[in-house]
Amino acid sequence: GAVVSQHPSWVICKSGTSVKIECRSLDFQATTMFWYRQFPKQSLMLMATSNEGSKATYEQGVEKDKFLINHASLTLSTLTVTSAHPEDSSFYICSARDVPGSTDTQYFGPGTRLTVL
Amino acid sequence: GQSLEQPSEVTAVEGAIVQINCTYQTSGFYGLSWYQQHDGGAPTFLSYNALDGLEETGRFSSFLSRSDSYGYLLLQELQMKDSASYFCAPNSGGYQKVTFGTGTKLQVIP
């Protein structure tokens, strides 16, 4: 099956710094990738839809200037949390949609656990 | 808009069968996916129904009724490792986003 990787798997940073998370589709091309955030014991909350070669589409309530998304190639999307604060500590998960077909499946990366001190 | 309804929690005994229901409302519908997520892990794809009826994959089966906007995930011969959260996710097709509901937390007890 399709594989999506994320890097780093966990990161601890100081308040006010920026953190970049990479999401890669390893064996397929992903025109569209999605970024989710999940707080403990809660569901996945879609943050934004990342489209290759164009600007990301952000969900309501998500600050686009704080969560910068770049989808520079068909296999790589990055999420940069700028000026991170403790409330940004969360589990960030990306997913990539396979080429539209019969299953239209999303494949998820393993997630990145961000802790802001 | 889109809405999803799933039970928030289900408890079942090891070896038993459990059914997790999902009702949905979505503009545009191509099929219903199911995902499993263990605590601390990322979601993994379980099954997809594009057509009405039952799809079987080992111990897991998924059912869809498009006319009723309803589906369910059936887990048979429950094992302790099946304790996880399960999400149904309607697909609106193409490059449209998929929004996850709150999911169903399944606890399997001895």
Side-chain angles (χ1 to χ4, degrees), chain A residues 32 34 36 38 43-44 46 59 91 97 102-106 108-110 113, chain B residues 35 37 40-43 45 48 87 91 93-98 100-102:
Chain A
T32 303
F34 303 91
Y36 295 84
Q38 187 175 36
S43 183
L44 296 92
L46 180 65
E59 294 300 301
F91 192 45
R97 188 183 287 275
S102 60
T103 60
D104 195 21
T105 301
Q106 284 193 50
F108 285 84
R113 193 162 301 280
Chain B
Y35 293 83
Q37 185 182 30
F45 172 77
Y48 178 79
F87 299 89
N91 292 9
Y95 299 108
Q96 297 297 314
K97 65 185 181 185
V98 172
F100 289 82
T102 53

Side-chain angles (χ1 to χ4, degrees), chain A:
Chain A
V3 178
V4 175
S5 70
Q6 272 185 249
H7 177 80
S9 56
W10 60 269
V11 58
I12 301 173
C13 69
K14 292 183 179 179
S15 185
T17 61
S18 294
V19 175
K20 179 185 283 189
I21 302 170
E22 292 186 349
C23 176
R24 293 181 185 274
S25 57
L26 297 186
D27 51 2
F28 67 100
Q29 293 184 334
T31 307
T32 303
M33 291 183 173
F34 303 91
W35 286 97
Y36 295 84
R37 179 169 55 182
Q38 187 175 36
F39 293 106
K41 300 189 185 302
Q42 294 187 23
S43 183
L44 296 92
M45 298 299 297
L46 180 65
M47 299 176 66
T49 302
S50 170
N51 298 297
E52 187 267 337
S54 64
K55 291 183 178 180
T57 303
Y58 290 81
E59 294 300 301
Q60 191 173 7
V62 178
E63 301 174 58
K64 61 181 181 180
D65 294 330
K66 181 170 181 61
F67 299 99
L68 301 179
I69 291 172
N70 182 277
H71 195 152
S73 76
L74 286 172
T75 59
L76 173 64
S77 176
T78 60
L79 168 68
T80 301
V81 183
T82 62
S83 186
H85 292 283
E87 57 266 28
D88 298 323
S89 298
S90 186
F91 192 45
Y92 291 87
I93 309 171
C94 73
S95 72
R97 188 183 287 275
D98 202 348
V99 174
S102 60
T103 60
D104 195 21
T105 301
Q106 284 193 50
Y107 297 95
F108 285 84
T112 297
R113 193 162 301 280
L114 170 64
T115 302
V116 184
L117 302 176

Side-chain angles (χ1 to χ4, degrees), chain B residues 29-34 47-51 53-55 62-64:
Chain B
F29 179 81
Y30 284 75
L32 188 68
S33 300
W34 288 90
S47 69
Y48 178 79
N49 293 68
L51 303 174
L54 194 67
E55 291 282 341
S62 57
F63 172 83
L64 175 66

Side-chain angles (χ1 to χ4, degrees), chain B residues 40-87:
Chain B
T44 56
F45 172 77
L46 289 179
S47 69
Y48 178 79
N49 293 68
L51 303 174
D52 284 358
L54 194 67
E55 291 282 341
E56 298 181 65
T57 308
R59 294 187 298 113
F60 294 1
S61 303
S62 57
F63 172 83
L64 175 66
S65 170
R66 296 170 71 108
S67 60
D68 295 323
S69 297
Y70 164 76
Y72 66 73
L73 180 69
L74 191 72
L75 296 83
Q76 303 181 72
E77 300 174 17
L78 280 175
Q79 302 176 8
M80 299 300 290
K81 67 178 182 180
D82 297 330
S83 294
S85 291
Y86 293 84
F87 299 89

